[in-house]
Amino acid sequence: MNKSTYLIVLFAWIFASCGEKEHDQPFAGPQLPSNFPPPVYDLSLNPVTEAGFALGKKLFYEKALSRDSTIACADCHISFSAFSHPEHPTSHGIDNLFGRRNAIAAQNLIWAKEFFWDGGVPNLDLVPLNAIQSPVEMDANPAVVLERLRQNAQYKAMFKAAFGTEEITTAHFLQSLSQFMAMLVSANSRYDKYVRGESGGDLSSDELAGLAVFKAKCASCHDTDLFTDNSFRNNGILNDFSFDRGRNEVSQLPEDVGKFRVPSLRNVTVTDPYMHNGKFKTLAMVLDHYASGVQDSPTLDPLLRQPDGTLGIPLNAQEKTELIAFLKTLDDETFLRDVRFAQ
Amino acid sequence: MQIKSLLFAAFCVLTIAACKKDNDEIKGFGSIEIEFDNQAAGSALVFGKDYTNAAGESLQFTTFDYYISNIVLVTADGARFVVPQEKSYFLCKHDDADTREIKIDDVPAGDYTSIEFMVGIDSAKSVSPIGERTGVLDPAAGANGHYWSWNSGYIFVKMEGTSPVAPPDFGNIFQYHVGLFGGFDSPTLNNLKTIKLTVPDEAAEVREGKGAPHFHLFVDAMAIFSSPTNVSIAATPFSHGDAFSATLSANYVDMFMIDHVHNP
């Protein structure tokens, strides 16, 4: 049924656009870059349509999703900072409450296996429920939020356009947000163009040297062109995790204390401050941490223990400069300035 | 698909078994009812009434809800009827008696002597696409209040109440929310429990065209507080999907029994 609705919408769109201006392209859905692995999210269960994307976008910017209608998803996930929350070590939500954690850049979400720093949510469709219900984010009852939308004629029309029915169900509500979020693909940085051999993909000698250091010293965790292996690890930023036990709070397994999801490093220059608790303000501080600031605890990742017993990753000053030059090539201006995603 | 073929296999076994036994009498389909009758201290559970747990603490209940799923009916010959998945998820709420009377139709005729079910929602359903989660599994409707959005999953058993030994700062409440199905991609604690119960004497006789036999189950709310481990509200007033939930699920695994079967 989904597929045929999709086809109908697609055809309707193609016909409609035929009659219109020549330069209009049919709605393309998310970019699936050749240097990425296949997506994890099953797009066949929720094909992205233009109407579904438009509805999802409206909802992403909708303050009525919070208890007192004061805060929208987009208030913490800001387009020009790769949908992270700039300058907020931990996110600032409803009633001026601060959460414990730094907002994660919402990008390339259809390639993630598990969401949030602790991986508590296994499917993109279920992510908004967490934000809506979290007492420090939007603090709303999703049933109440859905009821609000059902009272709104514009939403009824948009749900009808997107899903063929005015009835606003939990599934369609969540699927439309997923359709918007599925489109948030960042894969057109200078590094991507370099990897794909496209024009505009020239890297300087410093940047290339940085890439080599990265491959040798960072890519074991920040793996693939998504720059994360999707695992949970303790990278030694703390030695006491009683304030936030990370993955252990979800799994309850003792070996998971202090482990957090390896974050992507795409658009990393605009997603500061860094780490789950926003501990470091600059990339230089992050590299100093890996080189000489790693703290020991029982779950510290074995990759951060050198054979001679020292902790961390040996990095000299030149390697640090090169690494930073390389990390900057992961900035994707096309994504950060994409008007389809901005309000 | 697999479930369907399993079902079919189970059905065949059952049909063959039924044929062997009594070809004339036992064929066709009927219904059965399962009633979850909550108990405490040897009589019907009453919210607001004083009870005392094994640790000697006085308490009153305000919530006692649990998910039942994956029901299997077994005959004396060992033939298994697996209730079709899509009809096998129930949220039993103490304050809504209708939710505690389950009726299952299209049951192959036979003499059923035991039932099996899961307390909670199996891992496959726990990670199923949102489009398949309707009714008591809809996180923003039927499962609202019985679903964790921060650690995606259903709250298998939700028990709440008050006790003078619970922290006064929070209004003397205690809350035991048990969930966790073992994890999606990375493992977590697993509190899923499968319960197997046998009738005390009479089998449930499912016959075509006759009324539904009735399994009358007792569910002892106090079981969560003891055996194998005594639980003290003073020591642990709150548990929301933490490591302590393993103690609670190990305790409540024996809270069910078939009190009697009533044949129409």
Side-chain angles (χ1 to χ4, degrees), chain B residues 105-116:
Chain B
D105 295 323
D106 305 319
V107 179
D111 293 343
Y112 291 92
T113 50
S114 55
I115 61 177
E116 299 176 9

Side-chain angles (χ1 to χ4, degrees), chain B residues 112-131:
Chain B
Y112 291 92
T113 50
S114 55
I115 61 177
E116 299 176 9
F117 53 85
M118 203 177 255
V119 185
I121 305 296
D122 56 280
S123 54
K125 199 71 185 178
S126 291
V127 301
S128 64
I130 189 68

Side-chain angles (χ1 to χ4, degrees), chain A residues 21-259:
Chain A
K21 292 158 285 168
E22 274 294 283
H23 62 263
D24 275 358
Q25 297 287 312
F27 188 74
Q31 181 194 356
L32 303 177
S34 59
N35 55 324
F36 281 21
V40 174
Y41 186 78
D42 188 346
L43 288 161
S44 73
L45 292 177
N46 185 25
V48 182
T49 63
E50 190 175 34
F53 168 77
L55 172 58
K57 177 175 174 183
K58 187 170 163 62
L59 290 169
F60 197 82
Y61 285 90
E62 178 58 82
K63 292 187 191 297
L65 265 46
S66 63
R67 186 193 70 225
D68 56 3
S69 297
T70 55
I71 188 161
C73 308
D75 289 325
C76 295
H77 298 284
I78 296 166
S79 64
F80 55 75
S81 53
F83 295 93
S84 70
H85 205 183
E87 282 143 43
H88 283 75
T90 61
S91 271
H92 186 179
I94 201 163
D95 300 334
N96 272 328
L97 288 171
F98 284 86
R100 286 184 308 171
R101 294 180 185 163
N102 186 231
I104 303 177
Q107 54 181 349
N108 299 337
L109 295 165
I110 54 178
W111 285 274
K113 279 196 209 157
E114 286 153 320
F115 296 86
F116 299 100
W117 284 107
D118 55 19
V121 177
N123 188 305
L124 184 58
D125 294 339
L126 303 171
V127 164
L129 291 171
N130 190 11
I132 292 170
Q133 283 184 296
S134 163
V136 293
E137 291 180 22
M138 303 170 107
D139 194 30
N141 179 342
V144 172
V145 167
L146 286 174
E147 217 29 64
R148 278 183 198 159
L149 300 179
R150 288 179 189 124
Q151 306 304 318
N152 180 310
Q154 194 189 352
Y155 273 116
K156 279 199 220 166
M158 289 182 83
F159 273 90
K160 175 137 180 126
F163 298 104
T165 164
E166 271 191 1
E167 197 198 338
I168 299 183
T169 63
T170 309
H172 288 160
F173 167 70
L174 296 172
Q175 286 174 328
S176 65
L177 275 164
S178 289
Q179 290 191 33
F180 173 70
M181 292 193 284
M183 292 290 288
L184 304 179
V185 177
S186 174
N188 293 309
S189 67
R190 206 144 48 78
Y191 166 79
D192 291 295
K193 292 176 184 159
Y194 164 77
V195 171
R196 296 196 296 258
E198 294 166 6
S199 68
D202 299 325
L203 299 193
S204 71
S205 57
D206 257 9
E207 290 163 351
L208 285 169
L211 171 58
V213 178
F214 188 86
K215 283 205 164 138
K217 303 195 168 178
C218 315
S220 40
C221 302
H222 297 282
D223 194 17
T224 76
D225 278 357
L226 295 161
F227 296 93
T228 169
D229 66 354
N230 281 311
S231 66
F232 300 92
R233 297 173 186 259
N234 171 353
N235 72 342
I237 58 168
L238 298 168
N239 58 17
D240 174 358
F241 294 95
S242 46
F243 179 66
D244 188 342
R245 305 192 314 274
R247 178 68 190 165
N248 168 270
E249 294 187 1
V250 162
S251 74
Q252 305 304 333
L253 304 175
E255 62 269 29
D256 285 341
V257 172
K259 291 190 184 170

